Amino acid sequence: MARVVMQAVVSVDGYIARPDDSVGPLFDWYFNGDTEVTAGASGWTFHVSRRSGGYVQAFWDAVKVTVIGRHLFDTTNGWDGKPAAGDELVVVTHRPLPEQWLADHQDAPFHTASSVEAGIALAKDLAGDGLVCVTAGDLGGQAFSAGLVDEVAMDVAPVVLGEGVRFFGSHTGTVLLDDPDQVVHGDRVLHLHYTVKR
C-alpha cells in the first residue's frame, strides 16, 4: 500500500516561498556540491553535497506519484509536462487544465482530481506500493488536516524569510509526529523525515 509524504524545502521560520512565490535562497543548496542527483521523469540534474546526494536521490527514486495543487501547476506551467518527482502527477483543481497546455503536452502523465481526498486516493492507486509525494503549502496542509499524510519530509535551509507561503498552509491544530527517523546534515541544508503519529 502506498505511503503519503508531505515534502518541501522550507526556511527555518516555516516558509516554502516568498509571498510572490519566488524561493530566493531556499534552493541554493541544490547547486553547492559535487554530487549529481537527478529528479525523476523531469531529468533535472542538481549538484549537492555528498551527504545530501544520498538522501535526496533515494527519496526521489522512491516517489512514484506527486500531487500538486492548481496554483503550483500554474506557477510552474505544469513543469512542461514532466513530473518534478515520480512517474506521474495528479493536479487537484476545480478547473480544467488549459486546453493549449493539454494540446502541447498530450503525452504528459498528468491526471486531475476535484478534491484533495480524491487526488490522494488516485495517487495511491497509481503508485501501488510506492511513495506518493504531496507538495507542502495549502494543498499539503489540507491533506495533513484530513489525516491523509503518513510522513513529513523537510529540507530545512538556514534562511529566515519572515513571510510567505507556509509549509503547512493554513492548517491549524495540533498533530504529533514521531521523533525524526532521518536527520541528514547537508551543506546549507538539514534533511528531516518524520512519521505522523496515529
Side-chain angles (χ1 to χ4, degrees):
M1 182 177 194
R3 301 179 339 269
V4 178
V5 60
M6 180 178 170
Q7 186 274 336
V9 178
V10 62
S11 67
V12 171
D13 55 342
Y15 297 104
I16 60 173
R18 292 176 169 151
D20 66 358
D21 294 318
S22 65
V23 295
L26 287 178
F27 288 2
D28 287 356
W29 63 273
Y30 278 131
F31 309 99
N32 70 356
D34 56 9
T35 300
E36 185 173 284
V37 292
T38 303
S42 70
W44 298 334
T45 58
F46 302 95
H47 291 87
V48 300
S49 69
R50 182 184 55 76
R51 287 176 292 184
S52 287
Y55 173 84
V56 170
Q57 193 64 68
F59 179 79
W60 284 344
D61 289 347
V63 173
K64 300 303 176 202
V65 181
T66 298
V67 182
I68 67 172
R70 180 59 184 265
H71 182 76
L72 184 57
F73 174 89
D74 290 341
T75 301
T76 64
N77 190 37
W79 292 303
D80 290 325
K82 297 177 183 174
D87 301 320
E88 300 190 68
L89 189 136
V90 175
V91 183
V92 176
T93 180
H94 299 294
R95 297 174 285 133
L97 299 183
E99 288 183 24
Q100 187 59 56
W101 189 92
L102 291 170
D104 292 343
H105 302 92
Q106 294 179 29
D107 295 330
F110 282 38
H111 311 269
T112 58
S114 60
S115 70
V116 173
E117 293 81 3
I120 297 293
L122 174 58
K124 288 174 82 170
D125 285 345
L126 293 168
D129 291 333
L131 189 63
V132 171
C133 180
V134 59
T135 54
D138 286 334
L139 178 78
Q142 291 175 46
F144 190 77
S145 293
L148 302 173
V149 173
D150 303 307
E151 306 167 12
V152 174
M154 298 176 156
D155 302 312
V156 184
V159 175
V160 176
L161 291 182
E163 62 177 342
V165 180
R166 295 174 54 208
F167 184 92
F168 288 98
S170 58
H171 168 77
T172 58
T174 302
V175 176
L176 295 178
L177 307 176
D178 285 332
D179 286 337
D181 53 58
Q182 292 184 58
V183 179
V184 178
H185 297 263
D187 182 4
R188 303 291 299 160
V189 65
L190 178 65
H191 307 285
L192 300 172
H193 181 275
Y194 301 89
T195 300
V196 178
K197 279 186 174 285
R198 297 282 188 220

